[in-house]
Structure formats: C-alpha cells, structure tokens
C-alpha cells in the first residue's frame, strides 16, 4: 500500500469474480476514519484509471472507494505468456455484458459489502455501470446509487446526428468486424478492445427500441429489488445519455423513486461535459462536490 496525494492511500488489489476469475481493482482509503463505502462501476470499454481522480477525491472526504476493471478490460485482461507486459488476445475470450453484471459487478458489490459491513454503501455507475445495477441479484445491499451519464442506450434516444452514426457503426462496421476478428478492436473508436460477446450483446441492445429491457434476460427481474435512493445525472451536451434515455433506464427501478437531474455545462462554468467530462478534475469543486455531498447524505 502506498501513500498518494491528498492524504489518500492507494492500493492495487485483485479479487475473485463469482466464478473465480481474477479481477483487478484499486482501493482508495482515507488516512482518517472511514464514513462511507463507495463502489465505482465503469462504462463500456473504459479502464478503471479514468476514475482515479474522482475516487481519490471521495477518499479524501472519508470514503473507502473501489474501482475495478471488468473481465477482458484493463488490468482484468489476461497477459500473454510471450513478451513483456502485453495483453493476451481476446480472440476466443468468452464474456458478455450480462456476464459483466452477473459475475463481476455482483462480486465487487459483495467484496465491498463484506469488507465494510457497518458503513453506508453507495454505488456509482457510469454509463453501463449504472445499467448493471438493475441486473445484479444483490443490489439490495446498496443504500444510494448515483448514475453518471447512465442510460438505456438505444440509438433511437440518442441525439441526432450521432444516433445515425452509432446505428451505422454498430451494425455495418462493429458487428462484422467482431465476427471477422473474433473481438471488437478499440482502434475503431470504442475505447479498449472488447470481447466479441460483449460487443455483440451491446450492439443488440443498442439496436432494440428499449435497449436491454427488450432482451429476455432473467436478470431483468433484479431491477425491482433495488430500494435505495437513486439519483441519475445527465448532461445537456451528451449525445448518448440524453434525458429521455436516462429516464428510460431510471424507470426500470420500480421499487424506488429515481431523481433525474439535467446539468448544463454553463451551470458549472464549463464549456463542455459530454459523456465522460464529469470525471475531469476541473469539475472537482462543482460536480464532484455536489455528488459527494449527496453520496454522503449531506
């Protein structure tokens, strides 16, 4: 364990998914007393390092925070046996988005809950990370959930012209390429490389009118198990997580009353926020502070 900035301890760890697969995570701990436990759940094809600044900020405020990578992503991608520190090919790697939820997110929630039994437990979901909360069987362990640009990501609810670009890319570029190569390469603009099964399920959901709600996943019944507080943030310049898309996802949580807030960049003195901007450090004194205060019930 090494000391980091702002009196926050940072520790890279591994923990087992529900099927035993080893997941890479980073634990951020305050030097003083811990008042809350927080799990940050990543967007699709996004490595956990993107959330490092926000996680450190929360730890500085007294939270024990875990970030982690889903299987096949970042530190949770197996290394090759040949060469130095090179990731193993994802060809033949078996994983789907529903696997990410059932095997990886479920395990991360369990790991944090078992480790910090007495602390209030908050869940932060960025994009897919928010969607996953509705799919996991142990979401009742979470007392507060903050969604950041998390939506039912059907192309139909995205802003034009982006919606047409996404539909065309997914179906006419991404899907054929995933079948041809055996995985979805990050160089096409999706972020990190994705396992074939993850990308194909994602593309299927994006093409469906109600996104994952049109699937026949048995795990959809878990949406009704979440009874905690839910706040969903959407940003007016985000072409993917538009307010209708965020509202559609939030409406799936029928056992609580989600609060959906739209933030304009001008509200926080910014030129842009978009789908990823919330996690930029320049929003420390505005977006981060407001989010932290809500997570900590202040």
């Amino acid at each position: 364990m090494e000391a980091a900035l702002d009196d926050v301890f940072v520790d890279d760890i591994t923990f087992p998914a529900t099927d035993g697969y080893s997941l890479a995570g980073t634990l951020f701990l305050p030097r003083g007393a811990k008042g809350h436990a927080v799990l940050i759940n990543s967007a699709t094809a996004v490595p956990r390092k993107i959330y490092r600044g926000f996680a450190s900020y929360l730890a500085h405020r007294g939270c024990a925070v875990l970030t982690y990578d889903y299987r096949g992503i970042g530190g949770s991608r197996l290394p090759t046996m040949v060469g130095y520190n090179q990731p193993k090919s994802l060809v033949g790697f078996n994983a789907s988005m529903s696997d990410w939820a059932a095997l990886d997110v479920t395990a991360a929630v369990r790991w944090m809950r078992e480790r910090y039994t007495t602390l209030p437990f908050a869940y932060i979901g960025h994009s897919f990370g928010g969607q996953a909360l509705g799919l996991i069987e142990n979401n009742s362990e979470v007392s507060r959930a903050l969604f950041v640009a998390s939506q039912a990501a059907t192309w139909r609810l995205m802003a034009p012209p982006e919606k047409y670009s996404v539909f065309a890319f997914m179906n006419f570029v991404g899907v054929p390429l995933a079948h041809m190569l055996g995985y979805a390469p990050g160089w096409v603009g999706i972020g990190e490389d994705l396992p074939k099964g993850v990308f194909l399920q994602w593309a299927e959901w994006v093409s469906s009118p109600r996104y994952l709600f049109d699937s026949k996943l048995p795990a959809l019944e878990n949406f009704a198990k979440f009874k905690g507080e839910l706040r969903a943030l959407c940003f007016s310049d985000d072409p993917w997580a538009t307010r209708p898309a965020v509202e559609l996802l939030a409406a799936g949580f029928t056992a609580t009353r989600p609060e959906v807030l739209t933030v304009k960049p001008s509200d926080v003195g910014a030129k842009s926020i978009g789908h990823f901007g919330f996690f930029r450090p320049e929003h420390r004194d505005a977006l981060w502070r407001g989010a932290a205060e809500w997570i900590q019930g202040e």
Side-chain angles (χ1 to χ4, degrees):
M1 185 175 286
E2 55 179 306
L5 297 176
D6 294 331
D7 291 337
V8 171
F9 290 107
V10 182
D11 193 18
D12 287 330
I13 64 168
T14 59
F15 63 95
T18 61
D19 63 347
Y21 185 95
S22 182
L23 299 173
T26 303
L27 197 58
F28 300 80
L29 300 174
R31 187 181 295 275
K34 305 174 190 69
H36 294 79
V38 180
L39 177 67
I40 298 180
N41 304 270
S42 308
T44 306
V46 175
R48 71 188 191 278
K49 64 184 180 183
I50 298 297
Y51 309 103
R52 186 179 184 90
F54 185 49
S56 295
Y57 174 79
L58 292 174
H60 184 66
R61 291 179 56 104
C63 299
V65 186
L66 177 66
T67 63
Y68 66 106
D69 292 322
Y70 309 130
R71 62 188 63 206
I73 300 295
S76 297
R77 181 172 173 174
L78 297 174
T80 183
M81 299 301 291
V82 180
Y84 176 71
N85 202 28
Q86 295 295 315
K88 188 176 181 181
S89 170
L90 288 176
V91 175
F93 185 83
N94 187 26
S96 64
M97 293 191 103
S98 49
D99 288 337
W100 278 357
L103 304 177
D104 301 350
V105 183
T106 299
V109 167
R110 181 180 303 154
W111 191 90
M112 284 294 280
R113 204 74 209 107
E114 290 176 351
R115 190 177 185 96
Y116 301 107
T117 310
T118 62
L119 298 182
F121 182 35
Y123 180 109
I124 296 173
H126 180 209
S127 200
F128 171 76
Q131 301 160 20
L133 179 67
L135 296 174
I136 61 174
E137 49 85 19
N138 58 346
N139 60 25
S140 59
E141 298 285 346
V142 176
S143 55
R144 288 196 167 212
L146 178 72
F147 288 178
V148 178
S150 190
Q151 79 287 39
T154 170
W155 72 272
R156 294 165 176 80
L157 294 181
M158 295 179 186
E162 185 74 11
K163 63 194 295 183
Y164 306 112
S165 299
V166 168
F167 178 83
F169 167 76
M170 284 288 194
N171 291 283
F172 305 129
V173 178
V175 169
L177 205 56
H179 282 297
M180 182 174 69
L181 298 179
Y183 73 103
W187 51 257
V188 297
I190 57 174
E192 297 250 320
D193 295 344
L194 285 176
K196 176 182 175 181
V198 169
F199 186 85
L200 294 181
Q201 189 172 46
W202 186 26
E204 178 186 346
W205 291 354
V206 167
S207 298
S208 301
R210 299 180 66 251
Y211 194 60
L212 56 72
F213 295 118
D214 285 333
S215 71
K216 293 183 168 44
L217 286 176
L220 286 171
E221 68 184 21
N222 292 327
F223 269 83
K225 294 181 180 179
F226 179 70
K227 299 179 181 179
E229 299 290 322
L230 173 55
R231 172 177 283 186
L233 301 179
C234 56
F235 305 101
S236 62
D237 63 334
D238 182 351
W240 301 329
T242 60
R243 185 171 179 109
V246 173
E247 288 178 339
L248 178 55
L249 177 65
F253 293 91
T254 54
T256 187
R257 298 183 65 180
E259 175 188 26
V260 180
L261 299 179
T262 299
V263 179
K264 300 176 183 177
S266 58
D267 293 340
V268 294
K271 291 184 178 180
S272 66
I273 301 174
H275 198 61
F276 296 94
F278 175 93
F279 298 100
R280 292 198 299 262
E282 59 259 37
H283 298 309
R284 179 186 183 100
D285 295 327
L287 293 174
W288 289 8
R289 184 176 63 185
E293 288 173 349
W294 184 81
I295 287 167
Q296 295 177 295
E298 297 177 3

